[in-house]
């Protein structure tokens, strides 16, 4: 199966490069500074067919983050992207009956709409935990923070627009920033910092909240029209690691249609290792079971296919720095 | 560029090259560097300053300086015929200095006028690095410093101060309908109208998105509320034209204010309270 890799030019410039360059220009940053080192020219971006790679997007974001006048650009870009995405996928998203229906549709076509992140839906008694992870490649903390802010801005903007009464909580996987003004202004939902992953926690009453003026019978038709997801390299890896938790690197490589050596090389190119990603997937699941579901160590170890509890406790401490029982207390 | 060509042409006709042994390369490098930097100053002045008297005077002064520098540089490599031409090389620089002194005088006058317009937008000190590019106001970092300054004054002067936060109603919908440029224009207009509705002692800063914060020193809650109500009424009367049909649209702002009478407050909790109060106003509306 074809996956989207960090060097492949498959991200449309009209979503991922041109608006960033234009918005930065509105903040007084010249296009040449924004595009420095990306091997792109401003004139290239105007062609409708121009596509860029994740690496080029990364470079543009690094250039923007280096500019003091672009502090709130991630949030503005999120709002801009929301409007642009809605102009293309509005009839699919707007016609979902409820937030729950919308989440299910996004699980099917989310990566087509926004290929940079994929999410897992973890059920708990009183709602869902949506755990987001980078879908294409791991990247540095600055770029990741920028992209998480974009994502939060899109999510809050959408909900404010279509379900103004819906409430959810966003957990950011980084320290509380010095400047909180953008968060207070752009994020209409509650949020907290210093978590291990970007998580959106939604309770049951919100899940069943109806969208304004929806026509659910149009959704199936729109789903057929909307092209299927092209999974990012990491999204595909995470999917296989979840599906085959016991498989080792060579087996996953063969499932991804490449040799073990090529797989290892590609993992390095995407700034990660097989074990790091496996740990990430298991950590997300284990932390959810321990903190949200109140599972005992035996239950979590069994759910994650550990041979014994000692191994699980050791792995959990490696992932979080805390033992499961101490983590439960905190 | 014209001046350079003219100078080189004039030198070609009025000079003979010096023997290589007589040329001091280090001197040539220094004097050539001075000429080059003066030329760069001319280019930067023309690119960055708006057209007008000050720019014209600066351009004339710098050009005269450049002629002298270039003359001095060429003098290192050629012998002018007649030799007394060398004695005139400092004259353009002298004229240039006089022109630039006049320019500095007018620049000072121009700056004094700008300082008047910035009266409600800055207090006590200037730091252009924390200004907001869209509205020209100082960003919230500047406000943070001013709030800590006011908090420090609370103890000595025993008087309260107020903070008022404004936001534009339905800004997200406006942005969706009219695009980013029009949204930025609305932000600029709102900033101007707010600053027109303020006292000289007040300070207006951009918070983030469509939110602005005003600090009212030595003011009670009732006074701050009255200012905010007047500013809101003023903005509501302002007609915006966003399309070709000449149909006016009227903006509206919401506000929340807080009175600070003790030093226990921290900047972040103040801002969180203001935003929460503003959100409650939205829900109530």
């Amino acid at each position: 199966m074809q996956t989207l890799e960090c060097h492949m030019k498959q991200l449309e410039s009209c979503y991922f490069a041109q608006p960033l360059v234009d918005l930065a220009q509105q903040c007084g940053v010249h296009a040449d500074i924004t595009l420095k080192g990306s091997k792109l020219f401003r004139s290239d971006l105007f062609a409708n067919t121009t596509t860029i790679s994740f690496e080029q997007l990364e470079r543009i974001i690094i250039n923007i983050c280096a500019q003091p006048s672009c502090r709130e650009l991630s949030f503005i870009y999120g709002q801009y992207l929301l409007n642009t995405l809605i102009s293309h996928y509005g009839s699919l998203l707007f016609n979902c009956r409820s937030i729950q229906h919308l989440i299910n549709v996004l699980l099917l076509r989310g990566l087509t709409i926004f290929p940079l992140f994929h999410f897992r839906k973890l059920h708990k008694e009183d709602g869902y935990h949506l755990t987001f992870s980078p879908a294409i490649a791991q990247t540095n903390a600055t770029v990741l923070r920028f992209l998480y802010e974009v994502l939060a801005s899109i999510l809050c903007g959408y909900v404010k627009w279509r379900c103004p009464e819906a409430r959810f909580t966003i957990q950011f996987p980084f320290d509380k920033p010095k400047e909180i003004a953008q968060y207070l202004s752009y994020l209409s939902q509650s949020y907290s910092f210093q978590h291990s992953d970007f998580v959106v926690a939604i309770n049951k009453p919100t899940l069943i909240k109806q969208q304004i003026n929806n026509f659910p019978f149009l959704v199936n038709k729109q789903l057929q029209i909307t092209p299927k997801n092209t999974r990012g390299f990491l999204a595909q890896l995470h999917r296989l690691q979840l599906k085959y938790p016991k498989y080792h690197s060579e087996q996953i490589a063969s499932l991804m249609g490449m040799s073990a050596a090529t797989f290892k090389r590609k993992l390095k190119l995407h700034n990660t290792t097989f074990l790091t990603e496996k740990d990430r997937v298991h950590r997300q699941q284990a932390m959810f079971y321990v903190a949200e579901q109140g599972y005992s160590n035996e239950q979590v170890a069994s759910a994650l296919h550990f041979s014994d509890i000692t191994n699980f406790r050791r792995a959990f401490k490696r992932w979080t720095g805390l033992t499961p029982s101490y983590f439960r207390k905190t | 560029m014209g001046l350079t060509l003219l100078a080189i042409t004039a030198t070609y006709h009025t000079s003979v090259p010096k023997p290589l042994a007589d040329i001091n390369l280090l001197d040539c490098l220094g004097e050539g560097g001075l000429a080059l930097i003066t030329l760069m100053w001319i280019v930067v002045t023309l690119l960055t300053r708006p057209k007008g008297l000050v720019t014209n005077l600066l351009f004339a002064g710098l050009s005269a300086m450049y002629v002298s520098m270039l003359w001095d540089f060429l003098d290192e490599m050629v012998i002018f015929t007649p030799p007394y031409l060398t004695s005139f090389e400092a004259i353009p620089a002298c004229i240039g200095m006089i022109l630039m002194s006049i320019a500095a005088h007018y620049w000072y006058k121009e700056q004094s006028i700008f300082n008047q317009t910035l009266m409600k937008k800055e207090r006590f000190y200037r730091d252009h690095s924390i200004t907001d590019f869209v509205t020209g106001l100082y960003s919230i970092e500047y406000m943070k410093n001013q709030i800590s300054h006011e908090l420090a004054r609370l103890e000595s002067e025993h008087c309260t101060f107020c903070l008022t936060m404004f936001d534009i109603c339905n800004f997200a919908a406006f942005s969706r309908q009219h695009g980013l440029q029009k949204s930025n224009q609305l932000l600029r207009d709102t900033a101007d109208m707010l600053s027109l509705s303020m006292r000289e002692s007040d300070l207006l800063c951009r918070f983030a998105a469509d939110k602005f914060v005003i600090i009212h020193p030595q003011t009670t809650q009732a006074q701050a509320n009255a200012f905010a109500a007047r500013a809101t009424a003023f903005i509501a009367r302002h007609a915006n034209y966003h399309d070709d049909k000449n149909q006016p649209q009227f903006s509206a702002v919401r506000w929340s204010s807080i009175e600070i009478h003790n030093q226990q407050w921290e900047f972040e909790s103040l801002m969180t309270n203001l935003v929460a109060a503003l959100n409650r106003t939205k829900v109530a509306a």
Side-chain angles (χ1 to χ4, degrees):
Chain A
M1 185 188 172
Q2 173 75 17
T3 56
L4 180 54
E5 292 174 21
C6 60
H7 61 278
M8 289 178 172
K9 292 190 176 180
Q10 287 187 12
L11 302 172
E12 287 173 64
S13 157
C14 61
Y15 290 139
F16 297 104
Q18 197 192 318
L20 278 172
V21 172
D22 286 344
L23 291 172
Q25 211 155 12
Q26 301 266 342
C27 295
V29 180
H30 196 274
D32 292 347
I33 295 175
T34 313
L35 294 172
K36 194 179 164 192
S38 68
K39 295 176 187 164
L40 286 165
F41 292 99
R42 179 147 172 68
S43 51
D44 301 341
L45 306 180
F46 285 106
N48 282 336
T49 49
T50 306
T51 49
I52 64 162
S53 67
F54 182 75
E55 280 172 347
Q56 288 174 317
L57 173 66
E58 245 182 332
R59 175 44 55 193
I60 293 174
I61 293 173
I62 290 169
N63 291 343
I64 284 174
C65 291
Q67 302 301 319
S69 61
C70 293
R71 277 182 217 107
E72 61 177 322
L73 204 119
S74 53
F75 294 94
I76 302 175
Y77 174 55
Q79 300 291 305
Y80 181 94
L81 205 51
L82 171 66
N83 296 337
T84 322
L85 292 172
I86 288 302
S87 66
H88 286 82
Y89 302 104
S91 40
L92 172 65
L93 303 175
F94 278 6
N95 289 312
C96 292
R97 196 180 310 107
S98 59
I99 300 275
Q100 188 166 20
H101 190 194
L102 182 70
I103 290 168
N104 292 335
V105 165
L106 287 176
L107 279 169
L108 292 171
R109 294 290 185 273
L111 285 170
T112 307
I113 299 169
F114 191 65
L116 304 183
F117 288 104
H118 72 114
F119 68 93
R120 289 169 65 194
K121 184 176 74 172
L122 297 165
H123 293 260
K124 54 177 190 166
E125 258 179 44
D126 59 342
Y128 288 166
H129 255 225
L130 308 180
T131 309
F132 288 77
S133 308
I136 302 174
Q138 293 298 342
T139 178
N140 70 39
T142 312
V143 177
L144 211 50
R145 183 182 146 176
F146 183 95
L147 291 174
Y148 281 135
E149 286 174 347
V150 171
L151 186 59
S153 176
I154 293 176
L155 295 174
C156 289
Y158 184 86
V159 168
K160 194 177 166 187
W161 185 3
R162 298 294 298 167
C163 302
E165 289 164 15
R167 290 286 167 264
F168 57 83
T169 306
I170 300 174
Q171 298 175 356
F172 286 102
F174 45 83
D175 291 345
K176 190 175 180 179
K178 264 194 221 162
E179 293 160 25
I180 203 81
Q182 287 84 24
Y183 289 83
L184 285 169
S185 296
Y186 285 94
L187 306 186
S188 49
Q189 306 293 331
S190 54
Y191 51 85
S192 53
F193 297 95
Q194 287 186 312
H195 294 275
S196 50
D197 295 286
F198 184 91
V199 172
V200 176
I202 311 175
N203 57 22
K204 248 186 191 154
T206 293
L207 284 173
I208 54 169
K209 277 260 172 348
Q210 299 277 313
Q211 288 205 83
I212 303 163
N213 303 331
N214 63 73
F215 297 100
F217 57 88
L218 289 175
V219 171
N220 280 341
K221 199 179 163 192
Q222 286 300 324
L223 269 177
Q224 284 163 10
I225 301 168
T226 312
K228 284 190 176 171
N229 290 338
T230 304
R231 283 199 186 86
F233 180 77
L234 287 186
Q236 176 69 350
L237 173 63
H238 292 160
R239 194 180 76 90
L240 294 172
Q241 282 177 328
L242 273 170
K243 200 171 175 186
Y244 308 104
K246 294 272 186 188
Y247 277 26
H248 49 75
S249 146
E250 285 78 11
Q251 287 166 305
I252 297 285
S254 114
L255 286 175
M256 288 181 80
M258 59 187 85
S259 70
T262 309
F263 182 52
K264 203 173 170 184
R265 189 174 49 79
K266 285 201 171 176
L267 281 165
K268 197 177 173 190
L269 198 70
H270 291 77
N271 307 315
T272 191
T273 63
F274 181 77
L275 195 63
T276 311
E277 293 310 314
K278 195 172 182 178
D279 281 354
R280 185 189 310 280
V281 168
H282 283 163
R283 175 178 51 76
Q284 287 172 352
Q285 217 158 0
M287 284 170 75
F288 176 75
Y289 288 148
V290 171
E292 302 294 333
Q293 301 284 63
Y295 277 18
S296 65
N297 289 357
E298 291 83 355
Q299 285 171 305
V300 187
S302 145
L304 297 183
H305 307 280
F306 275 90
S307 51
D308 58 52
I309 301 171
T310 321
N311 271 342
F312 163 68
R313 280 169 57 86
R314 200 178 298 130
F316 194 89
K317 194 162 182 193
R318 182 160 53 86
W319 300 332
T320 63
L322 303 168
T323 60
S325 40
Y326 193 77
F327 184 78
R328 219 172 264 121
K329 278 180 210 161
T330 53
Chain B
M1 195 56 75
L3 274 175
T4 315
L5 286 175
L6 191 71
I8 291 171
T9 315
T11 310
Y12 179 75
H13 288 291
T14 58
S15 62
V16 285
K18 271 187 186 177
L20 262 180
D22 289 354
I23 296 175
N24 184 343
L25 279 177
L26 199 63
D27 206 13
C28 285
L29 196 71
E31 286 173 4
L34 282 175
L36 193 69
I37 288 168
T38 317
L39 184 65
M40 277 167 63
W41 282 7
I42 295 173
V43 174
V44 171
T45 306
L46 291 176
L47 287 177
T48 54
R49 277 201 50 88
K51 284 176 187 167
L53 179 67
V54 176
T55 310
N56 291 344
L57 283 168
L58 282 173
F59 173 66
L62 282 169
S63 299
M65 296 271 294
Y66 174 63
V67 168
S68 267
M69 303 286 181
L70 195 62
W71 200 336
D72 200 15
F73 169 58
L74 292 171
D75 188 32
E76 296 301 320
M77 292 181 287
V78 297
I79 300 164
F80 282 101
T81 49
Y84 63 78
L85 273 179
T86 313
S87 319
F88 292 101
E89 70 182 24
I91 301 291
C94 189
I95 297 169
M97 293 289 242
I98 294 167
L99 288 172
M100 281 171 61
S101 305
I102 300 168
H105 171 70
Y106 284 114
W107 201 345
Y108 164 74
K109 282 193 162 180
E110 188 184 271
Q111 200 55 47
S112 306
I113 294 163
F114 283 127
N115 288 350
Q116 288 287 323
T117 63
L118 286 173
M119 196 173 276
K120 294 172 184 176
K121 295 178 182 175
E122 71 179 10
R123 294 170 80 212
F124 310 129
Y125 76 94
R126 183 168 291 178
D127 184 353
H128 75 278
S129 66
I130 46 177
T131 48
D132 171 55
F133 187 80
V134 176
T135 57
L137 298 174
Y138 274 112
S139 66
I140 198 65
E141 279 169 72
Y142 189 85
M143 176 62 85
K144 194 176 179 180
N145 293 331
Q146 293 300 318
I147 289 175
S148 43
H149 181 79
E150 285 300 321
L151 284 170
R153 277 175 59 182
L154 271 180
E155 200 171 4
S156 57
E157 298 187 8
H158 303 292
C159 55
T160 61
F161 72 95
C162 283
L163 288 172
T164 308
M165 184 177 276
F166 287 88
D167 87 346
I168 303 168
C169 300
N170 299 321
F171 185 73
F174 180 90
S175 227
R176 278 197 293 272
Q177 198 182 343
H178 299 286
L180 193 76
Q181 283 189 338
K182 290 281 181 191
S183 313
N184 285 347
Q185 187 56 50
L186 181 63
L187 287 171
R188 272 190 287 273
D189 289 348
T190 309
D192 288 343
M193 286 185 281
L194 283 172
S195 64
L196 280 172
S197 322
M198 288 158 45
R199 300 172 302 177
E200 282 180 8
S201 56
D202 299 339
L203 172 75
L204 170 69
C205 288
R206 169 122 187 252
F207 183 66
D210 57 339
K211 292 181 174 59
F212 298 89
V213 181
I214 301 178
I215 185 167
H216 304 280
Q218 300 181 327
T219 307
T220 62
Q221 177 90 59
Q223 286 170 324
N225 289 355
F227 291 138
R230 279 197 287 275
T232 309
F234 176 54
I235 291 168
R237 281 197 299 274
H238 175 74
N240 299 301
Y241 295 93
H242 298 300
D243 51 26
D244 301 329
K245 295 169 194 161
N246 290 331
Q247 288 297 312
Q249 289 186 355
F250 294 94
S251 339
V253 289
R254 269 182 293 260
W255 56 272
S256 65
S257 74
I258 192 166
E259 184 180 344
I260 297 109
H261 34 67
N262 63 50
Q263 287 185 306
Q264 308 304 316
W265 286 100
E266 279 182 2
F267 174 75
E268 200 185 312
S269 55
L270 277 172
M271 293 302 126
T272 311
N273 277 1
L274 276 170
V275 172
L278 204 56
N279 289 340
R280 283 196 295 276
T281 322
K282 275 185 201 174
V283 173

